Amino acid sequence: MTTLDLALDLLRRPSVTPEDAGCQQLMIARLEALGFQVERLRFGNVDNFWARLGDQEPLFAFAGHTDVVPPGPLAQWQSPPFAPEIRDGFLYGRGAADMKGSLAAMITACERFLATHPHPNGSIAFLITSDEEGIAVDGTVKVIERLEARGEKIRWCLVGEPSCLAQLGDTIKNGRRGSLNGRLVLRGIQGHVAYPHRAQNPIHAIGPILITLTDEVWDQGHEFFPPTSFQISNLHSGTGADNVIPGDLDLLFNFRFSPAVTVEQLQERTRLIVETALLNEEIKTGQVFQYDLEWRPPGLPFFTPPGDLVEATIAAVRAETGLEPELSTSGGTSDGRFIAPTGAQVIEFGPLNATIHKINERVATADLERLSRIYEGVLVRLLG
């Protein structure tokens, strides 16, 4: 079975996070046929597995996720998101690029590598979750806790996230910014719009807070990282009626932060901005607003300097594509943030990311086999 065939099988399974929809069993069957020992690890409602071939060091691990984001409006897809189609040299379907194409390439790369290197100079593993696109609390982080508890250490980890920009091989992610999600609930007093003096409108009070948060320069970046960014993702208030002043407002926001600033610094500066704005509002209008500021557990930034994993991947990319890939820490976050703190070298390398999370997500069919050969080339250089 080619990489394309396996990718088609995976894409037909509607594994919207945290559902796996049988993707992992499909992968497990292929790995067990190669001699991998597989542990199925379910935490909460999340399916994960850890598969390992060999008990020698060093340990190389592929990491990835079978879950995908929701497809969005079905009418906007040119073909059903979970009935993959090949058109004009591209494979279309939800998860084609993020990241079922990479999962298929990992499997076929291992099959070819083991056919020519039946006794690797080390061990190979797979760490697969169905909780990467969701809240990511019962997936990779829990598997890593299990491995750490028994002293099982990964030396090299290749995460199959889509990393490339214009052509396969142009970018390797050797680090990622951290991610910190916050929620601000601003509490006023509900009332009739005709009697504003009897109410306190949190929508009016949020304006200065939003301006300050969005204008703030949180840091100047880091040697290998762009500056920290702040984005508002959701803002909700009101009852839906046009004659009611709302009583509260709910704001969700996110920091993507560099190592130049700490989680504690971001939290404290946010608190001071909120309290300063509300104090000014009290002085200006006499209205006193209460607030709650909540934080979700952060994902910390990580960075893998050039070394044997980075160099092996660069060499494999160069051999397959002729390109000299750029090392980058831009973009979002990934489950690599849970693996890097164990001391592992972690990189991300996968197909083009131009259509991930979008309508009509796609990957070039030719890139799937080339990606598989690159993954095989990494294995040869590290374990061959």
Side-chain angles (χ1 to χ4, degrees):
M1 182 180 286
T2 67
T3 305
L4 176 59
D5 292 329
L6 181 53
L8 284 164
D9 270 1
L10 290 168
L11 286 168
R12 293 187 184 105
R13 300 165 192 266
S15 55
V16 175
T17 190
E19 295 297 325
D20 169 67
C23 294
Q24 292 183 19
Q25 181 52 45
L26 183 62
M27 296 179 67
I28 287 170
R30 297 284 284 266
L31 292 172
E32 287 181 333
L34 295 173
F36 279 78
Q37 299 298 309
V38 178
E39 293 179 70
R40 293 171 173 84
L41 299 167
R42 185 173 176 85
F43 302 105
N45 64 345
V46 174
D47 289 311
N48 312 279
F49 77 81
W50 170 253
R52 179 166 179 166
L53 179 70
D55 55 10
Q56 297 181 347
E57 302 298 333
L59 173 59
F60 173 93
F62 286 112
H65 59 91
T66 55
D67 59 319
V68 299
V69 296
L74 299 180
Q76 295 182 23
W77 284 77
Q78 295 177 359
S79 54
F82 298 110
E85 286 189 6
I86 299 170
R87 299 192 300 274
D88 301 321
F90 289 92
L91 172 61
Y92 287 83
R94 174 57 84 223
D98 189 13
M99 55 175 289
K100 293 181 178 181
S102 295
L103 296 179
M106 292 172 182
I107 296 288
T108 56
C110 276
E111 290 171 339
R112 287 196 311 276
F113 172 73
L114 291 171
T116 56
H117 299 79
H119 304 291
N121 295 316
S123 301
I124 309 173
F126 279 72
L127 196 171
I128 306 298
T129 183
S130 61
D131 188 35
E132 197 274 346
E133 299 289 9
I135 58 176
V137 297
D138 287 320
T140 298
V141 63
K142 289 288 182 65
V143 179
I144 287 295
E145 288 174 0
R146 178 72 61 91
L147 298 178
E148 285 287 284
R150 65 193 190 202
E152 195 166 359
K153 289 287 189 179
I154 300 169
R155 178 180 295 186
W156 304 302
C157 182
L158 193 159
V159 186
E161 292 290 349
S163 63
C164 297
L165 300 178
Q167 52 186 325
L168 181 69
D170 62 13
T171 307
I172 296 170
K173 303 285 187 180
N174 65 323
R176 289 285 197 166
R177 293 179 294 175
S179 178
L180 176 63
N181 289 295
R183 179 188 183 196
L184 172 64
V185 179
L186 192 57
R187 306 191 186 283
I189 299 175
Q190 184 173 307
H192 196 293
V193 295
Y195 303 95
H197 58 287
R198 297 176 179 172
Q200 293 182 181
N201 193 330
I203 297 178
H204 292 185
I206 198 67
I209 297 174
L210 297 184
I211 291 172
T212 306
L213 287 172
T214 54
D215 287 348
E216 183 79 357
V217 177
W218 301 94
D219 60 50
Q220 299 297 326
H222 185 270
E223 181 180 4
F224 300 103
F225 290 81
T228 295
S229 66
F230 170 87
Q231 285 294 314
I232 297 163
S233 57
N234 287 267
L235 194 157
H236 301 283
S237 190
T239 66
D242 58 9
N243 60 352
V244 178
I245 294 172
D248 53 54
L249 177 146
D250 198 342
L251 174 73
L252 302 182
F253 57 91
N254 175 266
F255 289 100
R256 293 300 166 100
F257 63 98
S258 78
V261 67
T262 67
V263 169
E264 292 75 20
Q265 288 170 335
L266 292 173
Q267 292 173 336
E268 179 62 13
R269 287 168 64 182
T270 302
R271 183 189 67 80
L272 287 174
I273 287 171
V274 172
E275 291 192 351
T276 299
L278 294 182
L279 178 60
N280 291 336
E281 183 72 18
E282 182 180 356
I283 293 171
K284 177 183 175 182
T285 67
Q287 295 185 337
V288 178
F289 289 86
Q290 304 298 319
Y291 77 92
D292 293 316
L293 189 56
E294 304 170 357
W295 302 95
R296 274 175 46 189
L300 299 178
F302 70 90
F303 178 71
T304 297
D308 38 15
L309 177 59
V310 170
E311 295 304 323
T313 309
I314 290 175
V317 169
R318 187 188 299 124
E320 177 62 31
T321 68
L323 298 177
E324 195 68 28
E326 175 188 356
L327 297 179
S328 171
T329 62
S330 65
T333 189
S334 78
D335 277 0
R337 68 189 188 272
F338 303 125
I339 303 168
T342 68
Q345 298 177 37
V346 179
I347 64 163
E348 300 172 18
F349 182 74
L352 274 63
N353 57 25
T355 63
I356 61 174
H357 293 205
K358 293 185 177 182
I359 303 295
N360 298 315
E361 181 180 350
R362 70 181 192 176
V363 64
T365 54
D367 282 354
L368 291 175
E369 294 300 339
R370 298 171 74 202
L371 180 62
S372 179
R373 290 193 293 269
I374 291 170
Y375 288 164
E376 180 187 5
V378 174
L379 290 171
V380 169
R381 287 165 176 81
L382 293 176
L383 300 178

